[in-house]
Structures are given as C-alpha cells and as structure tokens.
Amino acid sequence: MNRNALYALVAVLLVALGAVGVYAYQQHEEDKNSLEIKLGPSGIKVDPPSN
C-alpha cells in the first residue's frame, strides 16, 4: 500500500470516529433530558427533566 492510500485510510477513520463521537454526545444529551425515577431504601425519588 502506498503512502497516499494510508493517509486516505487514516483520514476516513478520523472522520468516522468524529461522527461516532457526535452521535454519542447527542444520545447523551437526549438521555439527560428524560424523566428519572429511582427506588431506594429511603423511598421513591422522581427527578423531572431539566431544561
């Protein structure tokens, strides 16, 4: 494999990694804005989504 093909492969992998990072961040933000219900020894705790 020549050098230009290796550079192209590295560039494609970096773009894919960036896309996965953006997707993971969006999913994290979406989950953060959801209703959270916890059941523990002290009872039930309900946290509404924070805006």
Side-chain angles (χ1 to χ4, degrees):
M1 209 184 271
N2 63 15
R3 188 173 293 221
N4 288 337
L6 288 175
Y7 287 145
L9 179 63
V10 168
V12 167
L13 290 175
L14 287 174
V15 168
L17 182 62
V20 168
V22 168
Y23 176 76
Y25 177 74
Q26 288 175 343
Q27 290 300 320
H28 170 72
E29 287 296 312
E30 186 177 296
D31 290 343
K32 193 168 104 176
N33 292 328
S34 62
L35 182 67
E36 185 176 345
I37 301 172
K38 294 181 183 178
L39 178 60
S42 60
I44 297 174
K45 179 179 179 185
V46 178
D47 291 329
S50 59
N51 291 330

